[in-house]
Amino acid sequence: MLNRLDEMLNFHTQALRVRDQRQQVLASNIANADTPHYKARDLDFKTALQGALQGTQTGGTALATTAPGHLAGKAGGSDAGLLYRTPAQGSVDGNTVDVDAERAAFAENAIQYEFNLTRLNQQIKGLLAAIQG
Amino acid sequence: MSLFNIFNVAGSAMNAQSQRLNTVASNLANADSATSANGQPYKAKQVVFAAAPVGDNGATGVNVAAVIDDPSPMKTVYDPKNPLADDKGYVTMPNVNVVEEMVNMISASRSYQSNVEMMNTTKTLLLKTLNLGS
């Protein structure tokens, strides 16, 4: 029973986590709009969500340890799965942030986050209604 | 919850932008300071931004790597009556470019604004997340 509950809520929970991560990446882009040589980044929501649903962390690969002395290692760090944005217009200081595009993406992602949140809420309410009758 | 990290990211950017605004203010205020405590004319200052990782989730904030003296040449004004004039009658004035500083000011305040809005959006999302299931 609990297993089924988990399965039911899993999709939107994972989607929320990916939205959460993407929101953070977009926030970093907007924050660094004036930083020279900063390259704007983003993640591909579809592949990130598929990775999250399959239980693999976005793009991360574990290092194979064949002897007890081997260190586990942190493959790719946290920016695994992050891609670089192709700038629409170049700038002299090497910064590739297009603030308008980033803000649009930020707002869009916020609404998608809210959507996932609302759906999750509805699912919980539905379950509660079924339990309480 | 990496949404909380956005507060750190936006906060660091706001901090950096306000420091830039401070520098602009001191440059504009001293645009005509032909002399200072060390006897030299005022030199325009510029801030250098650098991306800095925040937390361990790949978020990137901003910090001010350095405040440098503007390398552009000093202005010279012909004013033989000025006590600071050299033997040819020229006074060395600060290398503050007022137009550039105004542009810098507008840019800094707009960036600051974007970061504030980003924080507001994040706050709303977090409050809604807190209400999940109720």
Side-chain angles (χ1 to χ4, degrees):
Chain A
M1 168 67 186
L2 276 179
N3 195 12
R4 291 248 179 100
L5 271 183
D6 227 25
E7 246 166 54
M8 183 181 174
L9 299 177
N10 188 41
F11 180 78
H12 285 289
T13 313
Q14 295 302 338
L16 272 178
R17 283 184 48 183
V18 179
R19 288 278 169 220
D20 194 337
Q21 201 197 343
R22 178 158 189 245
Q23 194 78 344
Q24 188 181 293
V25 174
L26 295 172
S28 302
N29 289 347
I30 300 177
N32 281 289
D34 295 326
T35 311
H37 306 300
Y38 180 85
K39 307 290 179 223
R41 316 196 69 177
D42 199 354
L43 53 84
D44 181 19
F45 182 78
K46 196 177 162 191
T47 42
L49 181 61
Q50 273 166 357
L53 287 175
Q54 283 155 15
T56 55
Q57 271 306 315
T58 41
T61 329
L63 192 67
T65 50
T66 48
H70 286 173
L71 298 173
K74 210 175 161 192
S78 46
D79 36 356
L82 286 186
L83 308 170
Y84 288 98
R85 210 186 286 302
T86 315
Q89 308 175 55
S91 71
V92 221
D93 62 356
N95 185 307
T96 62
V97 179
D98 177 357
V99 185
D100 304 314
E102 299 299 340
R103 282 183 64 169
F106 189 84
E108 187 232 294
N109 198 56
I111 292 173
Q112 303 272 24
Y113 183 95
E114 276 202 60
F115 166 74
N116 286 323
L117 210 56
T118 314
R119 290 290 298 147
L120 197 56
N121 234 338
Q122 283 170 353
Q123 284 183 338
I124 293 172
K125 286 215 177 100
L127 282 171
L128 275 178
I131 294 168
Q132 291 166 349
Chain B
M1 283 294 287
S2 44
L3 271 186
F4 275 111
N5 228 345
I6 295 181
F7 287 112
N8 297 332
V9 172
S12 72
M14 281 160 71
N15 189 18
Q17 296 294 352
S18 66
Q19 199 163 334
R20 179 172 168 209
L21 208 54
N22 257 327
T23 319
V24 169
S26 94
N27 285 348
L28 280 178
N30 284 293
D32 291 318
S33 304
T35 186
S36 63
N38 60 7
Q40 294 293 309
Y42 177 84
K43 271 201 164 144
K45 306 270 189 292
Q46 303 292 347
V47 290
V48 180
F49 285 171
V54 171
D56 51 0
N57 285 352
T60 320
V62 191
N63 69 6
V64 176
V67 180
I68 55 163
D69 282 345
D70 196 322
S72 57
M74 303 297 272
K75 276 187 281 190
T76 45
V77 176
Y78 183 66
D79 184 7
K81 288 195 296 279
N82 194 316
L84 297 165
D86 61 7
D87 46 3
K88 285 179 185 141
Y90 285 97
V91 185
T92 312
M93 294 296 280
N95 55 350
V96 176
N97 185 335
V98 179
V99 179
E100 244 173 55
E101 296 301 333
M102 290 300 286
V103 171
N104 241 334
M105 184 181 82
I106 296 170
S107 164
S109 72
R110 288 288 174 270
S111 300
Y112 192 92
Q113 231 171 329
S114 317
N115 282 294
V116 173
E117 274 168 41
M118 205 155 73
M119 265 195 176
N120 269 334
T121 311
T122 311
K123 194 184 82 181
T124 319
L125 287 184
L126 275 174
L127 286 178
K128 286 198 173 146
T129 314
L130 275 180
N131 281 328
L132 187 63
S134 64

